[in-house]
Amino acid sequence: MIAFIRRMALPSRLLALFSIVVFVLLNFQYGFFSALYEPIRANHEAIHGILETGSIFVAFSIALHGWVSFKETMSANWLVFSAMFVSVALLDLMHTYSFLGMPFFIIESNLLATTWFWVAARLTESIIFLIVILVNFQARVKLSVRKYVYLLALLYSLMVSLVIFHFYAEMPVLIIDGKPTSLKIGFEFITIIIHALVLFKAIYSWSNLTYMNICLASFYLILSSILFTSYQEVNEYRNMAGHIFKVLGYYYLLKHIYLAKIKRPYSELRDLSARHELLLNSIADGVYGINNKGKVTFINESALRMLGYEQEEIRKFDFHNLIHCTSDGDHFSEQDCLAWQTALDGKSRTSRNQFFKRKDGSVIPVLMKTEPMLRNGNQAGTVITFSDLSQELEFGELQREKKEIDLEMNWAMKLQESLNSQQRKWKAQKNISAVSVPFRVLNGDFYSVIPRGDLLMMAIADISGKGIPAAIQKSMMVYALEDFNSRYEKPHDVLTSMNTFVHDYTSDYSFVTLSMANYNQATRSFSYSTGGHEPILWYKAESNEFVELHTNNPALGIFADSVYMSHSVVLNHGDLIILYTDGVTECKNENTPDGTTLLQEAVLRSDHSQTAESLVQQVFDEMDQLRAWNVHDDQTIIILKA
């Protein structure tokens, strides 16, 4: 309980303490508060109407927030919660209009009808808490369900209202001589018990501060219901104080929905968008997306720079007609456009024989790639990636350029073969092995295992980009890594030095993801540090489960002063450590199983009793069988047997 109170914000803590003090005084200083309230007692109906209007407004706001945020959450739990507050709001509205002293509305205002509307609203609110907060079912439902749930809530409130309007005279009496009857008090205690259960669960089960406002809502609704069991007259001050506590309870409910279902998701979305924009602008190639109408939805800085446009200019026009042209700069048919064709059939396309027109009228040859942009399995647009070939390809000399590139590729391949031959020096290690398969000729992945006594120092990395630049950078990285490994033993120390090296000696548009790990074969201590790389998989043989190991360090080369850290675990006999590059876990689209899940299944299907060299090859082969798509990236796996 004390820890729970400490987690509360200071203003909420002070307000709750003040409310408790006021609540106690209201119940034990009857004469003082009666005299204090007497001058305004004549305006009780007006004040009651104002407070109930506040409750109705908050209830409708809760329903509206639930309607809006459901598009993001798709949560059945909060759909029911927010929809039923339509019923609460409407029943409170009926209670307000039928209150004594109000003008004629369907029936003459009377105490019996208004009290039954009050009870109906409170019981509805309590049942919502009982079902949604305590049961808390986690199903996700389709967007189309939303309108039916809200319609059912509306029909429910109308049905209850019709029953009360028609039969109120025959229903049990809830107020006698201004005092609540035992039945009325019983209804209030039902709401008290339910909210007490919610409060208890919040204090002893929920550690997340997200539910703090639910706790405060239940707290104030409990105080409200207690006051509604103790008043001696309908227009007494305790009746009015109960309405004030009720408004406070509803306010904290609204605050909870706003923070949990609107503010936090949109803040996360905004932060995610900012990170994606930063990553998008770090790519050297031009990237832009268009919707199904051909309008640009996003474009990175590289594309704007290559085409000579500003962000504001490109959104005014059909981008195809603005930039896509023939080699002479003439209009290019929309039917022949790769982006238009991908938008029609959802198939990826690549062409080196495309031309874009810059803002100044000059024409540049481009390598153009198109990919469908899917949302919930439906195509929502097309992503186009292009690179300027004007410096790589001179018009009329394409064949000469191709021969030169083939020659360079041959040298790069021989360089990589030379680097790979260095791996033979650790082949004597029986408990660790690796397999690395390039997507094309050159491999953008690299790995290293360096034995030092009982210590195995291992690394796995993926260089941004492919081809010759990646081959050159790979050779630099391998030799730099061996140098740093000879000077440092802690994985994060090696990452720190490698980050400085990559930042100082590579392109501004390239980066490296790298995982470093040390394994002490005598103590089975495994320490690791991941720099923007895929999590390391730890297979626990005893429990037959997987644990993802990562340190959330940034990729290498982005910032010169990045800080890195290491973590460590102790392995048991039979445990496996799997390091891999993202080509292994590559997924075709959002409807395919997660690649890490497939990798885990491949490990489970393999024979762990065999040597590390045989095991890593079997895991690689199992992944090929489990995937229903072709991989378009380099693949590297290292497996360590404890």
Side-chain angles (χ1 to χ4, degrees):
M1 173 70 78
I2 296 175
F4 176 81
I5 295 175
R6 287 177 178 173
R7 293 201 304 269
M8 293 173 60
L10 182 59
S12 296
R13 197 186 312 169
L14 293 176
L15 180 59
L17 180 61
F18 176 75
S19 300
I20 292 173
V21 172
V22 171
F23 173 79
V24 173
L25 292 176
L26 287 172
N27 284 282
F28 291 97
Q29 296 294 324
Y30 178 78
F32 172 77
F33 284 102
S34 293
L36 187 66
Y37 188 67
E38 189 61 34
I40 59 174
R41 186 190 289 258
N43 298 311
H44 183 87
E45 291 80 5
I47 299 173
H48 173 272
I50 292 172
L51 292 175
E52 279 299 305
T53 300
S55 297
I56 294 166
F57 171 78
V58 175
F60 271 125
S61 297
I62 291 172
L64 181 60
H65 277 68
W67 178 276
V68 173
S69 63
F70 181 69
K71 291 182 179 179
E72 305 299 330
T73 64
M74 297 296 182
S75 168
N77 209 44
W78 289 107
L79 175 62
V80 173
F81 185 85
S82 55
M84 288 305 294
F85 262 87
V86 173
S87 301
V88 174
L90 290 175
L91 291 173
D92 273 339
L93 185 65
M94 297 299 104
H95 164 72
T96 304
Y97 273 110
S98 59
F99 193 75
L100 283 173
M102 294 295 287
F104 179 87
F105 177 72
I106 302 178
I107 61 172
E108 291 289 346
S109 60
N110 68 88
L111 188 59
L112 184 56
T114 191
T115 307
W116 272 109
F117 275 118
W118 170 268
V119 168
R122 298 292 67 74
L123 288 178
T124 301
E125 163 214 297
S126 302
I127 292 171
I128 295 170
F129 272 84
L130 182 65
I131 295 176
V132 177
I133 303 300
L134 295 181
V135 178
N136 195 21
F137 46 93
Q138 298 295 328
R140 291 173 63 85
V141 294
K142 296 180 179 180
L143 182 61
S144 58
V145 175
R146 178 180 60 178
K147 58 185 177 183
Y148 298 111
V149 176
Y150 272 74
L151 180 60
L152 285 174
L154 178 62
L155 292 175
Y156 162 77
S157 57
L158 292 177
M159 181 186 69
V160 172
S161 298
L162 288 174
V163 170
I164 294 175
F165 278 132
H166 192 267
F167 296 105
Y168 74 92
E170 303 169 16
M171 299 171 76
V173 177
L174 299 176
I175 303 290
I176 296 178
D177 296 330
K179 301 177 183 179
T181 64
S182 299
L183 180 60
K184 168 70 162 53
I185 293 174
F187 285 138
E188 295 291 353
F189 270 103
I190 290 174
T191 67
I192 291 171
I193 292 170
I194 291 175
H195 286 296
L197 289 173
V198 172
L199 193 57
F200 178 83
K201 181 174 181 179
I203 293 174
Y204 294 102
S205 301
W206 291 328
S207 60
N208 195 326
L209 286 176
T210 303
Y211 294 98
M212 186 64 68
N213 290 308
I214 289 287
C215 305
L216 291 171
S218 290
F219 167 72
Y220 283 110
L221 290 173
I222 289 172
L223 297 185
S224 171
S225 292
I226 293 175
L227 286 172
F228 286 124
T229 65
S230 61
Y231 62 81
Q232 301 297 311
E233 298 178 67
V234 174
N235 60 351
E236 186 199 306
Y237 71 89
R238 278 177 290 195
N239 186 298
M240 195 57 60
H243 282 84
I244 294 174
F245 282 130
K246 173 193 164 188
V247 172
L248 277 173
Y250 280 16
Y251 162 76
Y252 278 106
L253 277 179
L254 178 62
K255 185 177 180 181
H256 168 77
I257 291 182
Y258 171 72
L259 292 177
K261 303 302 176 183
I262 294 183
K263 183 178 180 180
R264 187 178 64 183
Y266 279 101
S267 296
E268 293 174 352
L269 183 62
R270 184 170 57 250
D271 293 341
L272 182 63
S273 177
R275 290 196 296 270
H276 285 177
E277 184 176 357
L278 179 63
L279 181 60
L280 192 64
N281 288 331
S282 69
I283 300 173
D285 289 343
V287 181
Y288 67 92
I290 57 174
N291 59 23
N292 293 328
K293 296 181 179 180
K295 297 295 183 180
V296 175
T297 55
F298 65 86
I299 187 168
N300 70 345
E301 295 294 336
S302 297
L304 293 170
R305 184 171 55 254
M306 282 189 279
L307 297 173
Y309 285 97
E310 299 292 335
Q311 281 274 4
E312 296 76 14
E313 297 176 296
I314 62 157
R315 300 186 187 277
K316 300 176 183 178
F317 306 100
D318 184 326
F319 210 45
H320 166 79
N321 293 326
L322 188 65
I323 67 167
H324 210 169
C325 63
T326 65
S327 59
D328 298 326
D330 296 331
H331 174 73
F332 191 78
S333 170
E334 191 177 64
Q335 285 73 19
D336 296 327
C337 175
L338 271 64
W340 188 85
Q341 294 171 3
T342 297
L344 287 179
D345 58 21
K347 295 181 179 179
S348 304
R349 288 176 170 80
T350 301
S351 174
R352 299 178 62 87
N353 191 28
Q354 302 293 314
F355 301 90
F356 282 176
K357 182 185 293 185
R358 293 169 48 86
K359 183 180 179 181
D360 60 11
S362 59
V363 176
I364 57 172
V366 296
L367 168 63
M368 184 178 178
K369 299 179 181 179
T370 61
E371 292 284 347
M373 185 163 48
L374 302 177
R375 181 181 300 148
N376 298 326
N378 299 317
Q379 186 163 345
T382 306
V383 179
I384 298 93
T385 305
F386 69 92
S387 53
D388 185 355
L389 299 179
S390 57
Q391 295 182 357
E392 178 188 348
L393 303 173
E394 294 294 334
F395 291 99
E397 299 182 3
L398 295 180
Q399 190 62 38
R400 180 183 63 82
E401 291 287 345
K402 183 179 182 305
K403 291 180 180 180
E404 292 180 1
I405 292 175
D406 288 343
L407 180 62
E408 291 177 359
M409 290 285 283
N410 187 44
W411 280 105
M413 183 177 63
K414 290 180 179 180
L415 174 62
Q416 288 200 334
E417 290 175 352
S418 175
L419 291 174
N420 292 336
S421 67
Q422 299 299 315
Q423 302 300 323
R424 295 170 185 166
K425 62 187 178 184
W426 57 271
K427 285 296 185 182
Q429 302 292 327
K430 301 297 183 183
N431 62 336
I432 187 170
S433 189
V435 60
S436 185
V437 177
F439 172 51
R440 293 194 176 94
V441 177
L442 299 179
N443 197 336
D445 296 347
F446 80 85
Y447 64 93
S448 175
V449 178
I450 300 176
R452 188 189 294 177
D454 285 334
L455 193 66
L456 281 178
M457 308 178 74
M458 63 198 78
I460 189 169
D462 190 353
I463 301 171
S464 65
K466 303 297 175 189
I468 296 174
I472 296 172
Q473 192 169 347
K474 175 179 176 179
S475 63
M476 296 168 61
M477 291 289 295
V478 170
Y479 289 116
L481 183 62
E482 292 198 7
D483 177 54
F484 293 137
N485 267 331
S486 67
R487 289 187 282 159
Y488 305 109
E489 286 193 0
K490 298 295 180 64
H492 65 269
D493 290 334
V494 178
L495 279 184
T496 300
S497 298
M498 289 294 293
N499 176 65
T500 303
F501 177 83
V502 174
H503 184 272
D504 292 344
Y505 295 101
T506 60
S507 166
D508 292 339
Y509 298 103
S510 66
F511 58 90
V512 175
T513 66
L514 172 65
S515 286
M516 285 293 308
N518 292 342
Y519 176 61
N520 190 312
Q521 300 181 83
T523 64
R524 291 202 183 101
S525 176
F526 181 78
S527 57
Y528 59 92
S529 184
T530 57
H533 201 75
E534 304 298 305
I536 299 171
L537 280 183
W538 173 18
Y539 170 71
K540 294 184 175 182
E542 183 176 339
S543 58
N544 196 35
E545 63 178 353
F546 289 88
V547 177
E548 291 189 353
L549 305 176
H550 57 83
T551 54
N552 293 323
N553 296 326
L556 278 61
I558 298 178
F559 303 107
D561 56 353
S562 294
V563 177
Y564 297 86
M565 66 179 66
S566 297
H567 293 162
S568 63
V569 296
V570 176
L571 308 183
N572 294 319
H573 179 71
D575 287 359
L576 302 177
I577 291 293
I578 303 101
L579 296 88
Y580 55 93
T581 57
D582 59 0
V584 175
T585 55
E586 176 186 89
C587 292
K588 186 175 182 181
N589 57 53
E590 62 184 22
N591 293 322
T592 58
D594 178 72
T596 306
T597 303
L598 294 184
L599 178 57
Q600 293 179 16
E601 184 176 348
V603 172
L604 292 175
R605 291 170 60 167
S606 302
D607 180 8
H608 298 180
S609 65
Q610 57 189 323
T611 64
E613 184 175 4
S614 300
L615 176 59
V616 72
Q617 187 62 53
Q618 184 181 2
V619 169
F620 187 86
D621 294 340
E622 291 287 352
M623 281 294 294
D624 271 347
Q625 294 180 15
L626 290 171
R627 278 189 296 248
W629 61 90
N630 295 323
V631 178
H632 297 84
D633 200 358
D634 308 319
Q635 302 176 75
T636 301
I637 303 177
I638 301 176
I639 291 185
L640 167 69
K641 298 182 65 176

